[in-house]
Amino acid sequence: MAVLSDPSDEGYCFSMQTTPLPSRAAKHAITPASSAPPTTTHKDHAIDSLARALEQSLAPQACAHLALELLAHVPVEMLRHAVQELNQRLRWDFIDKLPLEISLRILQFLPATDIASSVLLVSKRWHAVASQPYLWRQLYRAQGWRFDRQRWELYCSFPRIADASQSLLLRSVSQMADAFSSASSGTLAPAVASLSKLQSLEREFCAGNALLDGGASQSAMDSLATATAAAMSLNAAARASPRLLHHSHVQGDSLGALRLLGIRLPGIGDRSPGPSNRMCGSPQRLAQQLCPLQLAPAQSRQKASSAGHRARRIQAVDWQDMYLQHHCLLENWRKGRCRVDRWEAAHSESIYSLQFGRDNWLYTGSRDNSVRIWHMSETGSQITPLATLQGHTGSVLTLQADESTLITGSSDATVCVWDLDSCTVRHRLQHDDAVLSLRFTDRWLVTASKDRMLHVWRRDQDYAHAFDLAGHAVAINAISLHGDVLVSASGDRTIKLWNLTTRTCVQTLDEHTRGVATLDFDGMYIVSGSSDRSIRIWNARSGKCERTIANAHSDLVRTVMFDRSMDVLVSGSYDETIKVWTFSTGCLLYKFRNVHTSRVFKLMFDRSRIVSCSHDRSVAVIDFAVNLPHARLLL
């Protein structure tokens, strides 16, 4: 019995009966054609003795030559029998004979495509061994791939939600928005009806009447996100309509619904006017309040089940399926198999900046002076507006967010540091001209401006101003920060590398023939896009330009991003196109022509999708996870 286990996977083990290795004597024995046991004679012993003597006295090549000469004088019928015996020896099934651990170790050296197309089809025994989760997990990790185990547990923990229930929740959110609008004007009845409907829906959800058996689905996550949007609307009402909250009947109904949802809204019972922003509490915080099972650790999940949620057993990972989905996802990238979804008029003016992450929260900054927060569905076919933040008097040109903080830079020459828990501006930092780019880490915040200066702030010291860096001749269009290494790109046609510890410029790259508009940096390589319409790939350590994609676009290259692990580089341009290239060779894979109808200002991508924004006021999602239900789990 062979048992194989991995301490990194709790409860994961498997066993399989194996046949022991044959002995040396059995290796040299000749099995007769009949099933009757062979009869050993004096002649057989003589032949065996002669064979052993020849093996000891002759070289292997001489033995082989002698055997061929003997076979040449054997009758055809006997020769046919000898060939059958030789075939049996040549077809020795190592999978059947070797211990399971050794067989799996050998199979790990084969390409996964060969295992899927050939090894699995040899025999039932080979199929059983080649289907072992351990083998596919090792093949998966050998590619350097990872997957989000926390999200996998989330998928397995939540049951499938019926499409009808999801649609009902969507309609409820829409009705709630209308109800709160009319409530602020004095009509309370629609708000009461809307809250009552949401309350009944949540009771139905908790009781399991709207649930289907069969495990988890992506629609569950979408419905939970929709309910989060409902919480946002309730929160907006708390600030926008104190009359609604303090009305005796409505307050009891709304607070009952909130208790049922598990949400504590800031500002309830507080008669002081709230901030002008249409949200209180970050999306992450509200999602955590709304869905305690979603983000709670495994220990508390069982405790929460007593409130009406039945705990679901975490399913084992199907590593073979996970490998094939990751392989198919990369093939979709290579061949351009995708679906494009586009949302018109996401803002009232051009959208200059965006960021999205694995939590599906999308942040966009616009010429209309606002920042909007959205939730993107798991399937990528829908984005739900969650909040609008107003804090700048000019266009929001750049932004970056983490779990609790959003930092935005504007043409009004200010940088706003937002607390996403309260949606208020905690710090307001100043430049002398428009802030064109910013990046931060746990320690540093660096802001770049049209005033040709790089301001460096200490995040770990309450955003105290640390020092300035000067060296560019004109506006600094883009920066990227990796640890203590800062890279800046300017309209003066140069790219500079800075060491924030020593506060010095350590290298200048100057092969672009016109201003540099954008760059991306991963600590080892820099990719830059320029007004000269080219894309250049630099080695940050040597300072050499290793590849140049001349005439990459027909107009200014406005945005670039790359991922060496995927061997993918994506660029967007004023020529209204988005192009996907191989990073290693600079070869064009394909071009998207009709995603936007005007200049592309910003794009980002992860393993499964590209998200972009444009002068045409739209947000577009190019989704490569077509028919791949677990693509969002892949890292």
Side-chain angles (χ1 to χ4, degrees):
M1 178 75 72
V3 179
L4 201 61
S5 62
D6 190 336
S8 64
D9 267 355
E10 296 183 3
Y12 172 75
C13 66
F14 65 87
S15 61
M16 181 176 293
Q17 296 290 341
T18 59
T19 305
L21 286 170
S23 64
R24 181 176 179 83
K27 178 179 178 182
H28 291 282
I30 298 178
T31 304
S34 63
S35 60
T39 301
T40 304
T41 64
H42 177 71
K43 187 180 294 186
D44 295 333
H45 283 297
I47 292 175
D48 290 342
S49 299
L50 178 60
R52 285 194 293 270
L54 291 173
E55 183 179 7
Q56 294 174 2
S57 60
L58 297 178
Q61 292 182 351
C63 288
H65 181 71
L66 177 61
L68 290 175
E69 290 295 329
L70 292 174
L71 289 174
H73 296 82
V74 172
V76 175
E77 290 299 327
M78 297 301 295
L79 184 61
R80 184 179 294 111
H81 175 71
V83 169
Q84 291 177 357
E85 296 294 334
L86 290 173
N87 284 336
Q88 290 183 7
R89 293 196 180 187
L90 293 174
R91 293 175 181 175
W92 184 71
D93 189 350
F94 72 92
I95 291 292
D96 187 57
K97 303 299 182 183
L98 291 176
L100 178 61
E101 297 92 329
I102 299 177
S103 298
L104 292 175
R105 182 66 176 171
I106 293 173
L107 291 179
Q108 289 178 36
F109 290 96
L110 294 176
T113 52
D114 291 349
I115 296 176
S117 61
S118 301
V119 176
L120 290 170
L121 306 178
V122 173
S123 65
K124 291 183 178 179
R125 169 69 178 178
W126 281 53
H127 187 279
V129 174
S131 299
Q132 290 293 336
Y134 175 83
L135 171 63
W136 288 96
R137 184 180 63 177
Q138 295 303 106
L139 292 171
Y140 189 92
R141 291 178 174 177
Q143 295 290 336
W145 297 341
R146 297 174 296 118
F147 91 107
D148 193 332
R149 181 172 291 275
Q150 183 178 4
R151 286 174 65 108
W152 170 262
E153 294 180 358
L154 179 62
Y155 276 117
C156 296
S157 299
F158 278 92
R160 187 182 303 273
I161 295 182
D163 293 338
S165 175
Q166 184 181 0
S167 301
L168 195 57
L169 277 171
L170 287 170
R171 290 197 300 271
S172 175
V173 173
S174 177
Q175 293 170 0
M176 286 175 65
D178 297 338
F180 291 139
S181 297
S182 46
S184 61
S185 61
T187 306
L188 299 177
V192 174
S194 179
L195 287 168
S196 299
K197 177 176 287 188
L198 183 63
Q199 187 177 22
S200 62
L201 280 173
E202 183 61 18
R203 283 190 182 130
E204 189 176 1
F205 176 81
C206 292
N209 295 333
L211 308 181
L212 299 176
D213 293 331
S217 75
Q218 293 174 347
S219 61
M221 295 300 300
D222 296 342
S223 296
L224 292 173
T226 305
T228 305
M232 297 288 188
S233 300
L234 287 169
N235 205 358
R239 295 295 186 178
S241 182
R243 184 169 177 269
L244 173 66
L245 289 174
H246 292 91
H247 187 276
S248 58
H249 173 72
V250 178
Q251 182 172 345
D253 194 280
S254 63
L255 294 180
L258 294 178
R259 282 193 296 270
L260 188 61
L261 290 169
I263 303 170
R264 182 184 63 82
L265 292 182
I268 293 184
D270 180 7
R271 298 178 182 271
S272 60
S276 60
N277 301 303
R278 301 199 327 243
M279 185 183 80
C280 296
S282 67
Q284 292 86 346
R285 178 64 59 85
L286 284 174
Q288 187 172 6
Q289 293 175 349
L290 175 64
C291 311
L293 283 178
Q294 178 177 351
L295 300 176
Q299 307 90 285
S300 62
R301 204 174 285 134
Q302 182 67 29
K303 184 178 180 180
S305 64
S306 61
H309 295 274
R310 182 166 58 91
R312 293 300 200 271
R313 183 179 180 181
I314 305 301
Q315 300 175 0
V317 178
D318 187 343
W319 287 101
Q320 182 178 352
D321 179 68
M322 200 72 71
Y323 186 101
L324 295 177
Q325 288 206 37
H326 208 141
H327 175 76
C328 291
L329 181 62
L330 293 180
E331 284 298 303
N332 288 349
W333 275 91
R334 299 289 182 269
K335 299 179 180 179
R337 292 193 294 254
C338 61
R339 185 189 69 243
V340 178
D341 296 297
R342 189 165 175 265
W343 292 273
E344 305 284 350
H347 282 262
S348 59
E349 296 285 350
S350 304
I351 305 175
Y352 291 127
S353 56
L354 66 80
Q355 177 184 315
F356 80 98
R358 294 195 55 77
D359 54 7
N360 289 331
W361 301 113
L362 170 67
Y363 304 84
T364 56
S366 170
R367 189 180 177 184
D368 63 12
N369 305 348
S370 71
V371 176
R372 290 191 176 180
I373 304 176
W374 316 75
H375 181 271
M376 297 189 297
S377 66
E378 284 289 319
T379 58
S381 59
Q382 179 183 356
I383 59 173
T384 304
L386 299 180
T388 300
L389 306 182
Q390 298 280 359
H392 289 286
T393 59
S395 302
V396 181
L397 303 177
T398 180
L399 60 83
Q400 185 181 348
D402 60 14
E403 292 183 356
S404 61
T405 303
L406 169 68
I407 304 181
T408 56
S410 170
S411 60
D412 63 10
T414 65
V415 175
C416 289
V417 181
W418 300 83
D419 179 6
L420 287 177
D421 289 337
S422 61
C423 283
T424 57
V425 178
R426 289 190 301 167
H427 303 277
R428 192 178 295 272
L429 313 176
Q430 191 70 41
H431 268 272
D432 294 333
D433 208 333
V435 180
L436 303 181
S437 185
L438 65 85
R439 283 294 177 267
F440 66 78
T441 61
D442 291 339
R443 182 183 183 187
W444 305 105
L445 164 64
V446 183
T447 56
S449 171
K450 197 174 179 180
D451 61 14
R452 302 174 294 174
M453 297 297 296
L454 291 164
H455 287 349
V456 183
W457 320 79
R458 290 293 297 267
R459 287 194 73 203
D460 54 355
Q461 296 179 6
D462 203 24
Y463 295 91
H465 180 258
F467 54 90
D468 296 334
L469 297 173
H472 285 290
V474 296
I476 303 171
N477 296 320
I479 60 174
S480 185
L481 182 60
H482 193 278
D484 289 337
V485 179
L486 172 70
V487 183
S488 59
S490 170
D492 62 9
R493 308 179 185 180
T494 66
I495 299 169
K496 291 183 180 291
L497 280 76
W498 309 80
N499 187 313
L500 297 185
T501 303
T502 61
R503 306 182 184 185
T504 58
C505 176
V506 295
Q507 200 159 197
T508 299
L509 314 176
D510 58 0
E511 294 188 21
H512 279 289
T513 59
R514 299 185 67 181
V516 185
T518 181
L519 61 83
D520 191 20
F521 174 53
D522 70 348
M524 182 175 293
Y525 284 92
I526 302 168
V527 175
S528 58
S530 168
S531 299
D532 62 16
R533 302 178 296 177
S534 72
I535 296 174
R536 293 180 181 267
I537 301 174
W538 313 77
N539 187 313
R541 296 179 180 177
S542 65
K544 295 182 179 179
C545 179
E546 295 191 354
R547 280 178 297 282
T548 299
I549 307 176
N551 297 315
H553 287 269
S554 59
D555 206 336
L556 179 146
V557 182
R558 182 64 175 82
T559 176
V560 294
M561 184 176 177
F562 71 97
D563 187 330
R564 284 188 292 136
S565 67
M566 296 174 60
D567 194 26
V568 167
L569 188 159
V570 184
S571 61
S573 169
Y574 280 4
D575 64 9
E576 305 175 7
T577 65
I578 294 173
K579 294 185 178 182
V580 180
W581 317 77
T582 57
F583 175 82
S584 58
T585 64
C587 294
L588 177 65
L589 293 176
Y590 44 86
K591 174 171 65 174
F592 294 101
R593 299 176 183 271
N594 301 316
V595 174
H596 292 287
T597 60
S598 188
R599 296 174 171 180
V600 180
F601 284 138
K602 184 67 176 177
L603 62 79
M604 291 185 68
F605 70 87
D606 61 9
R607 284 275 173 180
S608 60
R609 58 195 165 185
I610 302 171
V611 182
S612 60
C613 61
S614 168
H615 180 67
D616 62 12
R617 302 179 298 157
S618 70
V619 172
V621 177
I622 304 172
D623 192 353
F624 296 91
V626 180
N627 299 323
L628 299 176
H630 296 149
R632 306 290 187 239
L633 300 173
L634 307 179
L635 300 175

